[in-house]
Amino acid sequence: MESVNMHEAKTRLSQLVARAAKGEAFIIAKAGKPVARVTAYDSPEAGQQRRLGFLAGEFAVPDDFDRMGQEEIAEMFGA
């Protein structure tokens, strides 16, 4: 996530807002310390974002997953 200082944010506000509208969030810093995070209005809140586990229950991993293709790989390496 890009961080911009207060002066740069004032100077490039319209560009930064356009980028945020496309989903690219940024942080505004004052004296080197983050003070605001700017995101698109319709982006999900931090607690609402689901990344890991979003496909839970949608498919099953075979028990032999770590051994799948083992024979073919061994043949490729001449074992």
Side-chain angles (χ1 to χ4, degrees):
M1 186 177 308
E2 182 181 1
S3 180
V4 296
N5 65 42
M6 189 69 71
H7 176 72
E8 184 180 1
K10 290 178 185 178
T11 305
R12 298 180 32 211
L13 183 62
S14 60
Q15 292 173 332
L16 293 169
V17 169
R19 289 171 57 185
K22 293 178 184 175
E24 190 177 330
F26 63 94
I27 294 174
I28 298 175
K30 186 174 184 178
K33 295 183 180 180
V35 293
R37 179 183 307 123
V38 181
T39 61
Y41 180 74
D42 59 354
S43 66
E45 305 257 343
Q48 294 176 337
Q49 292 179 352
R50 294 184 62 198
R51 294 172 191 236
L52 294 176
F54 69 97
L55 289 176
E58 295 295 318
F59 63 93
V61 177
D63 291 334
D64 65 343
F65 175 77
D66 59 338
R67 295 180 307 279
M68 292 175 70
Q70 184 175 4
E71 293 154 5
E72 292 86 358
I73 294 170
E75 286 178 22
M76 284 189 246
F77 288 97

